[in-house]
Amino acid sequence: MSHDTTAASAPATRAPAHDEHHPPSGRLPLPALLALATAVFVTSLTETLPAGVLPAMSAGLGVGEAATGQTVTVYALGTALTAIPLAARTAAWRRKRLLLTSVAGFAAANTVTAASSSYALTLGARFLAGVAAGVAWALLAGYARRLAPAHLQGRAVAVAMTGIPLALSLGVPAGTFLGEAVGWRTAFTAMTVIAAGLLGWIVLAVPDLPGEPRGARAPAVRTLRVPGVLPVLAVTFALVLAHTVLYTYVAAYLGHIGLGGSTGLVLLVFGAASLAGIWVTGRHIDRRLRPLTLAGTLLVAAAAAALAVPAGSTALVLLAAALWGLGWGGAPTLLQTAVADAGGDAADTAQTMLVSLWNAAMAAGGLAGGLLLDLLGAGALPWSVLLLLVPVVAVVAGARAHGFPVRRRAA
């Protein structure tokens, strides 16, 4: 976000002057940043895992695939509804305590999901997992920046955000294969085991940092008036909505075109291409945030156009998955950096708003995709992506002065 959530250049968020941790100049604290990347991995994979095991999970819970897709929707809803109020309530908490609390929440929620045979209980567990994600996503990017030297803060965020494409390239396909081999419940149990191990890693490797002084966070209404924040948030909502409509129901779409047995492979190609996308973003975001955002959107559009052709060709679908991943991989880093740059002194609030809106879009995407699946069939999904990407290109192209400026100001 999350998701997720959810850069290689330092966003404009100001690190609090009262930090007690002073990183060595010229070096990234990799053990700590990799622990944060694993936390990003856990949040991202917990959110998207149902997409990889949708048919089996649907059968196990005794409901249709569209209904099972709502397990993604309620997760995202949990984040969207709680990220802003919980970030405000926990702003003064020490960062390590807050991170440990959120990861423990994931372990508990995934344990319940793995054991539950009740659709209602599963939805409740997924909602609570989304609440934990809201807490995590509101602090992860800022935590990564504060752990790094000033000139490497953006790269630190890029390292932490690698958890997203890793979840997509390795986690979801692995979960899909695991679900097919020994059952979807085992995939969620594996998530609990990872989260439990991560708790120990955080205790040992991640330095603690203080929270914010009470009253230091900018109000949301004032943040929305900052030039550039609103365009970035609008792009975030439309782009994430477009992605989620198709990604949540990709197994159903592949079944529709006769390639249902290739879901794991398609997700693997998508995720590997996402890794390439975040690598390109990390190398060039300092100078090319605007063209990277436009290029990423157009690549996703090209993928949707290829999938809209009812050819049923495995090669064409894999090409589309590669284009989709390449375009999507850098999106979380690009949008988080853009909103932090635009927000300036209100960047922390702007980041939290982006997390909420990102997950509101995921919730809406899960719901809209399910409706499309039921009413028009899986063939309508890629066409809806193309339609939603039109305003994304228009807003990014138009926000030349603020939001996605032609010249990105120095952090």
Side-chain angles (χ1 to χ4, degrees):
M1 159 232 148
S2 215
H3 8 346
D4 351 283
T5 225
T6 73
S9 147
T13 306
R14 310 298 186 253
H18 58 285
D19 276 6
E20 298 165 3
H21 172 73
H22 302 282
S25 179
R27 287 193 300 153
L28 286 174
L30 281 178
L33 290 175
L34 290 175
L36 298 188
T38 305
V40 171
F41 175 88
V42 168
T43 62
S44 300
L45 183 50
T46 297
E47 185 162 29
T48 56
L49 186 56
V53 296
L54 195 65
M57 193 173 178
S58 173
L61 293 174
V63 295
E65 290 187 1
T68 305
Q70 302 319 305
T71 60
V72 176
T73 303
V74 296
Y75 179 107
L77 203 57
T79 303
L81 292 176
T82 62
I84 291 176
L86 280 180
R89 285 289 185 92
T90 59
W93 284 32
R94 297 193 68 85
R95 300 295 90 181
K96 191 167 181 174
R97 173 191 172 197
L98 191 55
L99 182 59
L100 287 168
T101 300
S102 68
V103 174
F106 279 106
N110 281 318
T111 299
V112 173
T113 303
S116 171
S117 57
S118 162
Y119 179 63
L121 179 61
T122 300
L123 288 180
R126 294 286 297 171
F127 183 86
L128 290 177
V131 173
V135 172
W137 277 103
L139 72 92
L140 282 166
Y143 206 163
R145 285 196 303 274
R146 291 170 63 186
L147 289 175
H151 66 290
L152 293 176
Q153 286 179 345
R155 191 165 295 176
V157 176
V159 172
M161 290 302 108
T162 56
I164 296 173
L166 281 172
L168 299 176
S169 62
L170 301 177
V172 175
T176 301
F177 290 130
L178 191 63
E180 291 171 352
V182 291
W184 64 271
R185 297 181 188 280
T186 305
F188 280 98
T189 302
M191 293 300 304
T192 297
V193 173
I194 294 171
L198 176 59
L199 287 170
W201 188 356
I202 292 168
V203 168
L204 294 174
V206 179
D208 195 11
L209 293 175
E212 302 172 16
R214 293 192 182 278
R217 189 166 281 246
V221 174
R222 192 179 81 201
T223 303
L224 280 174
R225 297 195 192 108
V226 176
V229 170
L230 201 54
V232 178
L233 294 179
V235 164
T236 298
F237 184 83
L239 185 58
V240 175
L241 180 62
H243 166 78
T244 308
V245 161
L246 184 55
Y247 189 85
T248 304
Y249 298 99
V250 66
Y253 171 78
L254 291 172
H256 165 72
I257 61 172
L259 296 175
S262 301
T263 301
L265 178 60
V266 169
L267 291 174
L268 181 64
V269 170
F270 170 83
S274 295
L275 279 176
I278 200 170
W279 180 80
V280 171
T281 298
R283 285 187 61 85
H284 299 291
I285 193 171
D286 276 326
R287 301 174 303 281
R288 299 187 175 93
L289 186 147
R290 176 186 173 82
L292 281 171
T293 307
L294 283 168
T297 304
L298 292 173
L299 282 170
V300 175
L307 291 174
V309 178
S313 162
T314 303
L316 182 61
V317 168
L318 292 177
L319 174 62
L323 294 175
W324 185 6
L326 191 61
W328 177 254
T333 308
L334 289 165
L335 294 170
Q336 284 194 321
T337 302
V339 85
D341 282 354
D345 290 332
D348 283 337
T349 300
Q351 290 266 13
T352 305
M353 293 171 74
L354 183 140
V355 169
S356 285
L357 200 62
W358 184 291
N359 284 277
M362 291 199 72
L367 184 60
L371 289 172
L372 283 169
L373 192 62
D374 280 346
L375 297 176
L376 299 176
L381 297 175
W383 289 105
S384 67
V385 174
L386 283 170
L387 187 65
L388 287 164
L389 292 180
V390 171
V392 173
V393 174
V395 173
V396 175
R400 297 174 58 86
H402 304 284
F404 301 95
V406 175
R407 291 186 180 276
R408 183 168 175 247
R409 71 172 183 263

